[in-house]
Amino acid sequence: MISMEVDNGMTLDEAYRNTVDGLEELGWEDLALDSKRKGINALFEGENDIWELLIHFHEEGNYRISSRSTWKVQNNTSDLVQHLVEKINRGNPKHEFRMNDNGSFEVKTSANILEKHHFFEEMKKVMIRNIRAYESYASMLKRFVNITPEYLDVETEGFRALISSKNQPATIQDEELIRLNLQK
């Protein structure tokens, strides 16, 4: 959670408009905008999936960033994948990780940004942290959920060792995970 000193705080409308304008200045296109509910959704298509970045402005000063992608989780791995995601979630207090029944892996990051003059720069930092958190675990989970049944027993042993380990997952280091530039 990010908190900054109040410097002429922004209304929800101003925060929403500032973010939309900032993303458009970065060259982001095809933003799905919901000005009534103050939501932004940017879709990115890869070779194997569609990934989304969602931004919601719930209440003044409190903004939620989410990134998610949907994959098919095989029934024989769904319990183990759910257990792994819960383990990741417990080890990282800055982000909320979840996997829903539709096979959607999602990372949510909340931020309080109250400084008007540097709002979009701070919003960008929160978006980058969210994307990096998502990327750091998504590739591992995708590899696991897409594994073929004949290799499941071998893969499961390694994942069971990870799940049963007493060590907390390493915290995400911003410097080590630079993979996505916010310019689309």
Side-chain angles (χ1 to χ4, degrees):
M1 192 79 71
I2 296 175
S3 292
M4 299 183 73
E5 302 242 346
V6 176
D7 180 12
N8 300 329
M10 301 181 86
T11 67
L12 287 176
D13 288 336
E14 289 173 323
Y16 172 78
R17 192 71 248 161
N18 192 315
T19 304
V20 170
D21 292 344
L23 292 174
E24 288 175 346
E25 283 179 25
L26 288 175
W28 285 33
E29 300 171 0
D30 303 325
L31 294 175
L33 305 177
D34 185 348
S35 57
K36 191 173 213 171
R37 285 198 236 143
K38 314 263 183 309
I40 301 169
N41 185 349
L43 290 175
F44 302 85
E45 289 194 42
E47 288 183 24
N48 300 317
D49 62 84
I50 295 175
W51 170 77
E52 297 175 279
L53 180 68
L54 302 100
I55 306 170
H56 299 283
F57 301 85
H58 294 290
E59 57 189 59
E60 268 181 45
N62 185 4
Y63 315 110
R64 177 160 271 200
I65 316 279
S66 302
S67 48
R68 70 178 175 207
S69 184
T70 303
W71 331 301
K72 176 98 172 115
V73 178
Q74 300 168 11
N75 287 337
N76 55 354
T77 64
S78 61
D79 288 345
L80 192 54
V81 170
Q82 183 62 39
H83 189 68
L84 183 60
V85 171
E86 288 170 8
K87 182 86 169 177
I88 292 167
N89 199 36
R90 283 194 302 269
N92 194 322
K94 292 182 180 181
H95 307 283
E96 177 189 340
F97 297 87
R98 64 184 215 103
M99 190 92 175
N100 68 22
D101 294 336
N102 297 327
S104 185
F105 176 62
E106 190 169 89
V107 179
K108 295 181 178 181
T109 307
S110 294
N112 289 329
I113 304 172
L114 303 174
E115 186 180 10
K116 187 173 187 170
H117 298 296
H118 301 287
F119 178 82
F120 187 69
E121 287 304 312
E122 294 302 319
M123 179 61 79
K124 235 169 54 171
K125 289 177 187 176
V126 176
M127 291 166 61
I128 290 168
R129 276 198 303 276
N130 177 273
I131 291 165
R132 289 178 180 158
Y134 172 85
E135 284 188 333
S136 68
Y137 292 105
S139 60
M140 174 186 67
L141 291 170
K142 282 182 187 179
R143 190 177 119 251
F144 182 63
V145 300
N146 293 320
I147 205 154
T148 55
E150 61 266 19
Y151 296 109
L152 183 61
D153 292 335
V154 175
E155 287 290 328
T156 303
E157 287 177 24
F159 279 94
R160 286 188 202 279
L162 173 64
I163 289 169
S164 62
S165 72
K166 293 183 181 178
N167 297 329
Q168 292 287 335
T171 58
I172 297 168
Q173 300 296 319
D174 288 345
E175 297 79 28
E176 295 175 10
L177 297 169
I178 298 172
R179 284 190 227 140
L180 180 70
N181 185 332
L182 272 178
Q183 295 191 19
K184 189 172 175 183

